[in-house]
Amino acid sequence: DTVLPKLSGTRIAGDADGNGSVGVSDVLMIQQYLANWNVKINLSNADVDGSGDVKVADVLLLQQYLANWNVTLK
């Protein structure tokens, strides 16, 4: 996982599971959420495209970020 510094009260874009880092587990949690599994995610962190809603586009953007594509999480 790519570890990002966690500042008090600061949002970490992509950290859907709230563990302080962004990784594959966050992608999986968002996918489970979108499939209506009974999982709790941080909706603000999961909305990495800044659209105001969590959807498949967020999953794709997060996967690109983790593959070191030149993308920005919002």
Side-chain angles (χ1 to χ4, degrees), residues 44-57:
S44 174
N45 290 352
D47 178 23
V48 295
D49 68 357
S51 68
D53 196 15
V54 178
K55 51 191 179 289
V56 174

Side-chain angles (χ1 to χ4, degrees), residues 4-12:
L4 302 176
K6 186 171 185 177
L7 304 174
S8 179
T10 300
R11 175 182 172 265
I12 299 176

Side-chain angles (χ1 to χ4, degrees), residues 26-66:
D26 298 297
V27 173
L28 296 173
M29 291 289 290
I30 297 170
Q31 289 174 324
Q32 291 169 356
Y33 170 80
L34 292 172
N36 292 317
W37 289 26
N38 187 21
V39 297
K40 294 181 190 220
I41 64 170
N42 182 311
L43 295 174
S44 174
N45 290 352
D47 178 23
V48 295
D49 68 357
S51 68
D53 196 15
V54 178
K55 51 191 179 289
V56 174
D58 297 299
V59 173
L60 297 175
L61 187 61
L62 189 52
Q63 288 174 324
Q64 292 169 347
Y65 173 80
L66 292 171

